[in-house]
Amino acid sequence: MRGRGQSSRARAAVRLVAWMLALGSLSCLAVEDNRAPGVRPPPPPPPPPPPPPPPPASGAWFQEDFSSYVSTADLLSDPRGFYTALEDANPGQIALDQTTGYGGSSKSMRYTFPDRSADTSGRCHDYPVGRNIALPAHVQQVWIEAYVKFSANFRTLAPGSWGCKSNAEYKFIFGRVTGGSRFNLLSGTYGYAWTFGVPFDEQGDGGSPPHDIPGGDVVWDGQWHQYRLYLKVSSAWGQPDGAAKFWLDGALLKEYSGFAINASDIYGVALGRNMNQGPAQESYVWWGRISAWRSDPGF
């Protein structure tokens, strides 16, 4: 009898536990069913923001290869804050070209210079297309590398029948300075030469070698070429420690050293300015990869 009573009590206890569990489940269902109509559970938290873009390759201080843009409108909107966009010259002639790029990028920035044959009043005067890079900081020296391609029909000298009096050349790359004029690399001076100059000697009369450098037209071949510049203003007014160098495809073509270059700093890089005359046919310039360094990258 004693064992039978214990067994009955055990069975009763099991039934009580089962009843309590069932009651708890019904209570939870009741709470769920009593939620106000149309009220949904709170949404999950938003995903974390994407990581910042990786730093430029090769330790560059600044680098642009146009790979991040999805359209011409995106490029011109300057989402990365690289350019002084209000200074864009003829932005209607600037496009994101998604058919050609340099290195690991399949995209480039293309400038279109229209055929100006029919523009009899303006074809012998300046036609600008360009963008200006704002460097991340003002510096006293900078190393710049640009991979650029000219169309094979690119010319700076207009037909003789036009009677142009302006000097034929394309203002190609500028180092923009505070308190002076500019460093400049000009392509196609007189239709065939390079001009590499510094603030207060933009015509390149000084330096080594002095004056213009033949061969400015050899890069008009539809191929990518490497342009490297080293630009340095004087450490103080009148100090003869300013310097500048220009390399084309690894060959040093001209340099300045031991000069007073009286400007306080370098703050930007101009990618193209104007064609001084012509052209007599539609032609193009593609900008592939632009890099800058604050310390010597070993050019």
Side-chain angles (χ1 to χ4, degrees), residues 59-243:
W61 177 43
F62 168 93
Q63 191 166 90
E64 166 75 289
D65 68 359
F66 307 98
S67 62
S68 66
Y69 305 108
V70 298
S71 65
T72 295
D74 187 32
L75 169 66
L76 294 177
S77 72
D78 189 25
R80 303 175 72 184
F82 282 173
Y83 303 94
T84 52
L86 292 178
E87 295 182 315
D88 287 354
N90 263 331
Q93 303 300 114
I94 301 172
L96 179 70
D97 192 327
Q98 302 191 54
T99 67
T100 183
Y102 180 79
S105 174
S106 61
K107 304 174 186 178
S108 56
M109 180 169 65
R110 185 186 70 233
Y111 293 174
T112 299
F113 288 89
D115 179 352
R116 294 207 288 162
S117 300
D119 181 12
T120 55
S121 63
R123 65 191 185 185
C124 289
H125 302 288
D126 292 353
Y127 188 89
V129 183
R131 303 198 85 187
N132 296 323
I133 291 173
L135 292 173
H138 293 210
V139 292
Q140 288 197 307
Q141 63 179 352
V142 66
W143 287 258
I144 300 165
E145 179 182 76
Y147 287 90
V148 185
K149 177 168 63 174
F150 289 87
S151 60
N153 68 342
F154 192 88
R155 301 291 185 272
T156 58
L157 188 63
S161 60
W162 289 9
C164 295
K165 304 301 183 184
S166 56
N167 185 36
E169 63 191 3
Y170 170 53
K171 294 179 173 65
F172 182 30
I173 300 175
F174 288 178
R176 307 181 76 190
V177 302
T178 302
S181 52
R182 68 194 184 213
F183 295 91
N184 57 229
L185 176 62
L186 313 179
S187 174
T189 301
Y190 310 123
Y192 66 87
W194 293 107
T195 295
F196 181 55
V198 299
F200 309 109
D201 182 21
E202 297 90 346
Q203 302 306 314
D205 293 330
S208 178
H211 309 301
D212 304 311
I213 312 161
D217 54 348
V218 300
V219 297
W220 304 337
D221 59 0
Q223 304 297 318
W224 293 107
H225 291 274
Q226 178 198 70
Y227 302 86
R228 286 175 165 175
L229 305 176
Y230 169 58
L231 313 176
K232 181 180 183 295
V233 299
S234 293
S235 59
W237 189 269
Q239 283 293 109
D241 59 356

Side-chain angles (χ1 to χ4, degrees), residues 196 201 204-213 244-246 252-257 259:
F196 181 55
D201 182 21
D205 293 330
S208 178
H211 309 301
D212 304 311
I213 312 161
K245 295 182 180 183
F246 162 45
L252 179 63
L253 296 191
K254 182 165 182 171
E255 65 180 316
Y256 286 79
S257 61
F259 280 74

